[in-house]
Amino acid sequence: MPTFHFELGELPPAAEALRVEVREFLHAELGGHTPAQRARSWGGFDREFSRKMGARGWIGMTWPKRYGGHERSALERYVVLEETLAAGAPVSAHWVADRQSGPLLLRFGTEAQRQRFLPAIARGELAFAIGMSEPDSGSDLASIRTRAERVAGGYRVNGTKVWTSNAHRSDYMIALFRTRHDPAKKHEGLTQFLVDTKLPGITINPILDLRGSHHFNMLVFEDAFVPEEMRVGEEDAGWKQVTTELAFERSGPERYLSSLALILELIREAGKDPGERAAAVVGRLVAHLATLRQMSLSVATMLEAGENPNLEAAVVKDVGTTFEQEVPEVVHALLGLEPTIDTGSHLQQVLGYLTQTAPSFSLRGGTREILRGIIARGLGLR
Ligand SMILES: Cc1cc2nc3c(=O)[nH]c(=O)nc-3n(C[C@H](O)[C@H](O)[C@H](O)COP(=O)(O)OP(=O)(O)OC[C@H]3O[C@@H](n4cnc5c(N)ncnc54)[C@H](O)[C@@H]3O)c2cc1C
């Protein structure tokens, strides 16, 4: 029977040397950020910060130099990700493109697409969104209905995408559309496209989240024209590509750090003499964190070795998001502290932000149930 493969590993000296450089950069850039700002990390969108990351060579790190990349190792990239997320840096303006849109173009894009988009992504100049979910299609992605019909020189698109994070501030999105409809074969007839978010025929409507913030959108396509040269890969072959893209999205080492700002605030609050109960809670959280980090490092090591750690990555995301969601509950139970939004101590504000946001941790990038289905299939159990 197939099983999980996690190995204890250490980062090579070159990667650890890079850590010092990244920390110094982040200290200088984020010195004035409050803990509540740092807790927003993934939510932070700052093009200037992304350009600086690009100038340092920390976007597209593993890509070929001819496409603006830096031909560094997956483990060096791991260190940059780990440090930027642990510091709560605002990564959203380059994050999606670095993690999935760029690698997708590298694998399935045309030479012209690679030359046009990858160097600009690596410079931190292009922000990408993900156009997969629709009002009636989330987990069951193959049921999407947004149609791309062939017309002279390209495709005419009609339909609706939803939950599209940061589409209103992104330059492009990689979107999945239906190019052929056969109810008996829903995984066929899907195609991916590079879509300029400013195209005529696309209306971007904000959706406010639980906190009243605008990061989600609903995109309505009404006869939007997407040129032929913006199709990614073969027509009707999008299912294999989109599952590869989802694997890029899920195999990252970052799915356990979203609540780190709260653990740090708890440690600060507990101080040098925390008392038995607080010491036990901090010890347990840090032990889980260290274990998850090792599991995640093991995924990065497998990626570096050219292996396919999809199963292990799904486990890290499942166990990692469970941990991230537990942290606000555990801290609340320990301190009995009122979570707040804009007032109160740093600890209260970080707790307030994470209490409101944590439910989404196990939804974004595929729900817990879907991941467990993938794990069961990988283990030959279904
Ligand atoms: C913070 C955040 C950011 C997001 N950003 C984007 C984005 O940028 N682009 C984008 O395209 N989408 C985005 N999404 C959408 C996300 O991908 C979907 O919410 C997710 O795939 C679930 O789809 P759904 O919401 O339609 O729920 P549904 O698929 O309707 O699921 C509802 C519930 O049923 C369960 N369920 C469904 N099918 C099964 C099954 N076969 N077996 C067991 N249980 C099942 C699910 O686990 C879930 O608990 C984002 C979501 C969040 C929370």
Side-chain angles (χ1 to χ4, degrees):
M1 186 176 120
T3 185
F4 306 127
H5 180 75
F6 287 105
E7 270 179 27
L8 273 180
E10 282 194 21
L11 287 163
E16 287 300 352
L18 180 60
R19 185 186 302 285
V20 179
E21 197 189 324
V22 181
R23 275 194 187 165
E24 280 170 6
F25 166 80
L26 291 170
H27 184 70
E29 288 299 320
L30 310 178
H33 281 212
T34 64
Q37 280 174 299
R38 288 171 187 264
R40 280 165 173 74
S41 189
W42 287 36
F45 189 101
D46 181 343
R47 283 187 183 266
E48 195 47 41
F49 177 79
S50 293
R51 275 195 203 97
K52 287 182 183 169
M53 289 287 287
R56 288 283 179 142
W58 294 339
I59 303 176
M61 284 178 75
T62 60
W63 306 348
K65 287 188 178 162
R66 66 182 181 285
Y67 300 128
H70 304 279
E71 300 184 5
R72 300 188 77 158
S73 72
L75 296 176
E76 288 171 302
R77 178 171 182 269
Y78 179 91
V79 166
V80 173
L81 274 186
E82 182 173 60
E83 289 298 325
T84 43
L85 294 174
V91 294
S92 286
H94 65 269
W95 176 239
V96 167
D98 179 61
R99 179 182 67 188
Q100 61 192 83
S101 323
L104 186 87
L105 293 178
L106 204 51
R107 183 158 323 171
F108 299 109
T110 62
E111 186 57 24
Q113 287 169 349
R114 290 185 198 140
Q115 295 202 7
R116 176 172 165 196
F117 292 101
L118 295 179
I121 291 175
R123 288 195 300 270
E125 290 170 3
L126 284 187
F128 272 66
I130 305 166
M132 295 186 193
S133 305
E134 295 187 5
D136 297 314
S137 308
S139 301
D140 184 13
L141 184 59
S143 68
I144 61 155
R145 290 191 297 204
T146 297
R147 288 293 308 267
E149 289 169 76
R150 243 187 197 285
V151 291
Y155 297 79
R156 185 173 50 226
V157 181
N158 282 284
T160 305
K161 292 285 171 189
V162 76
W163 312 126
T164 326
S165 303
N166 291 319
H168 59 304
R169 11 189 206 201
S170 295
D171 305 289
Y172 291 90
M173 64 194 275
I174 302 273
L176 184 71
F177 298 139
R178 185 158 290 290
T179 33
R180 184 160 47 82
H181 182 59
D182 177 351
K185 296 178 183 161
K186 65 178 183 178
H187 294 90
E188 295 179 14
L190 298 166
T191 307
Q192 285 189 304
F193 291 88
L194 267 157
V195 178
D196 181 340
T197 53
K198 311 282 183 305
L199 279 183
I202 302 181
T203 311
I204 303 182
N205 301 306
I207 302 176
L208 299 188
D209 66 16
L210 188 66
R211 300 187 314 276
S213 314
H214 174 201
H215 106 270
F216 285 136
N217 300 278
M218 178 182 272
L219 273 70
V220 181
F221 293 77
E222 289 166 301
D223 288 336
F225 175 74
V226 179
E228 169 104 35
E229 67 266 20
M230 299 296 258
R231 191 185 70 227
V232 182
E234 293 301 308
E235 188 173 293
D236 296 340
W239 184 251
K240 184 176 152 243
Q241 292 179 202
V242 83
T243 48
T244 306
E245 184 188 342
L246 282 167
F248 290 143
E249 180 172 2
R250 292 169 184 159
S251 71
E254 68 279 0
R255 298 282 179 172
Y256 66 99
L257 288 168
S258 309
S259 297
L260 185 68
L262 186 55
I263 300 178
L264 294 177
E265 279 313 297
L266 172 64
I267 292 172
R268 240 171 241 135
E269 170 85 9
K272 287 199 172 128
D273 188 14
E276 201 175 320
R277 208 164 139 242
V281 168
V282 170
R284 183 175 164 277
L285 290 177
V286 172
H288 281 202
L289 196 63
T291 309
L292 278 162
R293 177 172 184 266
Q294 276 301 333
M295 291 169 73
S296 147
L297 195 52
S298 173
V299 170
T301 308
M302 282 189 265
L303 284 174
E304 174 66 9
E307 294 168 29
N308 179 4
N310 281 355
L311 194 57
E312 287 76 9
V315 174
V316 175
K317 181 173 179 314
D318 183 25
V319 184
T321 51
T322 302
F323 170 75
E324 292 177 331
Q325 287 179 329
E326 236 178 54
V327 176
E329 285 175 32
V330 168
V331 172
H332 187 247
L334 174 71
L335 302 173
L337 197 67
E338 189 69 21
T340 58
I341 305 299
D342 296 319
T343 55
S345 67
H346 288 316
L347 179 58
Q348 279 177 297
Q349 290 190 40
V350 174
L351 182 61
Y353 174 77
L354 286 171
T355 301
Q356 285 188 316
T357 318
S360 71
F361 295 166
S362 57
L363 299 177
R364 58 189 185 191
T367 68
R368 172 172 292 136
E369 290 74 20
I370 294 304
L371 283 171
R372 289 187 182 170
I374 292 171
I375 294 168
R377 202 171 300 119
L379 293 176
L381 299 172
R382 64 186 285 239

